[in-house]
Amino acid sequence: MKADFQNTYAALPDPLFVRQAPVPVAQPKGLALNEDLADALGISFDDDWADVVAGNRIPEGADPITQAYAGHQFGHWNPQLGDGRAVLLGEVAGFDIQLKGSGRTPWSRGGDGRAWIGPVLREFIVSEAMHALGVPTTRALAMVETGEKILRDDGLLPGAVLARVAPSHIRVGTFQYFAARQDLDSLAALFEHTADRHFDGTRDPGTVLQAAVERQAALVAQWMGLGFIHGVMNTDNAHVAGITIDYGPCAFMDAFHPMKVFSSIDHGSRYAFANQPGIAAWNMAQFATALLPLMDDRDAAIAQFTDIVHGFSDLFEAAYRQVFCAKLGVANTPDADGLIAQALDMMAEQGADFTTTFAQAEAGFDGTALANHPDFAAWFKAKADLATTVPINPQVIPRNHLVQQAIDAAVAGDLAPFHALWQAGKTPFKRPDDPALTAPPRPQDLVQRTFCGT
Ligand code: AMP
Ligand code: MG
């Protein structure tokens, strides 16, 4: 692998990271390489690219580290998390190149530092689809098998590593880590680094917080417009610059229900579909708290930051309206709010498939379960009064059962379903030839639960 590495994070003060090389694996085998992304970053891979992604060979110029962070997990404070199964090789063209599943690190606690092919494949497919759908996200550069089996609840599973690309991996929890330790020097260094990378170099924490809240509101509105459930919106999985990060038990909904949950560990439905905006606002409040030590006048800052965080709901409402008005093809005015809410209520009552219902918006919702609702005709007429634009909706999202089938096939050594799904996800607004890539799951294919990568 040849790339022009910069290692600006590794040049920050010591407490922000620990130097750590990826742990070599038995037998690297390349599964997928995202050549378009590599080209865009100016990375050239040789035939032995799998060795680099597996961590068996460190590319020239890289300075591998693991990053420190903390976080609230399901609302509970954990003062020390950190990259327990990932290393940051360095930055290329301003983007982090991270290996996930790369072995134990000083932050691994009881974990093995590894990932199995299931979550690696899921993150690859879903993050690339999100990118094609126009959602800010980390991306997938490459995926390898390690030739090692790792132990999970389901037994021994094939190990894998994902090479992931991101504008950075700076989380709300990264700020929390230093704020909680009252390590002001590190917090200030992290702040300046983050501001330079993501917030036009401002030195005003209030400006950063305001922009973070705006981006987070827009991001969650985009997720919801796709029926996407992140699944683990812990503060360590909340990127400060409004980028989707850490795809774990995430999923796109099939039949719409506002309280849908997929994650096997989300017992209290904390991260249910409709709870996502409230949780994002809560995460921004934690970000605000972590920025407070940087402010001279604490009381004034508390007042200012409280206002900014309270601004989340209006920002979210506006972003959500914009997303759903585009989906329905109606004018973006507050008058549309009732129409949107009623459409979703009817869909929930009918168990209508989220993606196919909206994909039929242009055709008058022909053949959808929504159209069978007793209130549909009146709603449709009201919508016609506000119609101004052509509805914009994806035909293809990586449906949960297809991701599961791709994982099952990959475990059995067949990558064809993975490639079909990846390919279809590159052009989500185009209907693929194969109807299996767009059809809702048959009852026997339905996936009710998704699992974390651990
Ligand atoms: P996640 O739920 O994937 O966001 O991870 C939460 C924390 O657990 C992070 O600090 C991860 O680095 C760590 N972690 C997750 N899986 C493993 C693993 N297999 N080995 C070591 N650490 C892990
Ligand atoms: Mg995480």
Side-chain angles (χ1 to χ4, degrees), residues 72-113:
H72 280 94
Q73 298 179 299
F74 292 90
H76 300 288
W77 172 240
N78 191 330
Q80 194 202 293
L81 291 163
D83 290 330
R85 54 166 163 172
V87 296
L88 177 62
L89 287 179
E91 300 130 38
V92 175
F95 287 86
D96 280 6
I97 311 293
Q98 194 201 59
L99 305 180
K100 186 171 175 182
S102 54
R104 283 183 55 78
T105 79
W107 315 100
S108 295
R109 295 168 289 160
D112 61 4

Side-chain angles (χ1 to χ4, degrees), residues 265-280:
I265 57 170
D266 190 358
H267 304 298
S269 299
R270 180 180 169 89
Y271 300 136
F273 177 79
N275 287 349
Q276 296 183 116
I279 292 293

Side-chain angles (χ1 to χ4, degrees), residues 240-254:
V240 293
I243 296 157
T244 317
I245 187 172
D246 281 9
Y247 293 86
C250 62
F252 294 86
M253 256 188 294
D254 297 302

Side-chain angles (χ1 to χ4, degrees), residues 90-363:
E91 300 130 38
V92 175
F95 287 86
D96 280 6
I97 311 293
Q98 194 201 59
L99 305 180
K100 186 171 175 182
S102 54
R104 283 183 55 78
T105 79
W107 315 100
S108 295
R109 295 168 289 160
D112 61 4
R114 294 296 181 192
W116 71 279
I117 195 172
V120 167
L121 188 150
R122 180 183 299 277
E123 177 158 350
F124 194 115
I125 287 290
V126 178
S127 66
E128 283 303 297
M130 290 288 257
H131 171 73
L133 289 159
V135 182
T137 177
T138 61
R139 297 196 59 190
L141 180 62
M143 169 169 88
V144 299
E145 255 185 283
T146 61
E148 296 174 2
K149 294 275 189 241
I150 58 174
L151 188 61
R152 292 294 182 266
D153 286 349
D154 290 343
L156 287 171
L157 295 163
V161 180
L162 177 74
R164 159 164 105 171
V165 172
S168 84
H169 286 82
I170 302 169
R171 307 144 192 274
V172 169
T174 317
F175 280 82
Q176 290 181 293
Y177 181 92
F178 299 102
R181 280 170 175 69
Q182 298 180 12
D183 177 353
L184 284 191
D185 290 342
S186 298
L187 187 65
L190 172 66
F191 174 77
E192 291 189 7
H193 176 88
T194 305
D196 288 346
R197 255 174 119 167
H198 297 297
F199 300 99
D200 295 328
T202 178
R203 289 293 175 261
D204 174 32
T207 302
V208 165
L209 180 63
Q210 177 66 38
V213 166
E214 286 168 12
R215 291 184 208 175
Q216 195 64 223
L219 178 70
V220 175
Q222 276 191 293
W223 288 356
M224 292 176 76
L226 295 166
F228 178 76
I229 302 168
H230 181 282
V232 230
M233 292 175 68
N234 295 335
T235 57
D236 52 299
N237 296 334
H239 198 290
V240 293
I243 296 157
T244 317
I245 187 172
D246 281 9
Y247 293 86
C250 62
F252 294 86
M253 256 188 294
D254 297 302
F256 176 72
H257 194 283
M259 287 310 287
K260 185 72 186 163
V261 170
F262 285 98
S263 169
S264 60
I265 57 170
D266 190 358
H267 304 298
S269 299
R270 180 180 169 89
Y271 300 136
F273 177 79
N275 287 349
Q276 296 183 116
I279 292 293
W282 191 86
N283 289 347
M284 288 295 101
Q286 307 316 311
F287 188 33
T289 305
L291 290 171
L292 273 181
L294 298 171
M295 304 299 282
D296 293 332
D297 184 342
R298 192 180 162 85
D299 290 340
I302 289 173
Q304 182 202 358
F305 287 6
T306 302
D307 278 351
I308 293 174
V309 173
H310 283 169
F312 181 95
S313 51
D314 282 351
L315 288 165
F316 172 75
E317 209 176 289
Y320 181 87
R321 183 185 299 137
Q322 187 184 2
V323 165
F324 277 88
C325 285
K327 292 180 76 64
L328 291 174
V330 299
N332 181 359
T333 82
D335 293 347
D337 290 353
L339 274 181
I340 297 166
Q342 205 191 345
L344 293 175
D345 285 349
M346 290 191 293
M347 283 169 65
E349 283 170 31
Q350 297 293 104
D353 182 86
F354 188 87
T355 306
T356 41
T357 300
F358 282 108
Q360 281 295 92
E362 211 180 328

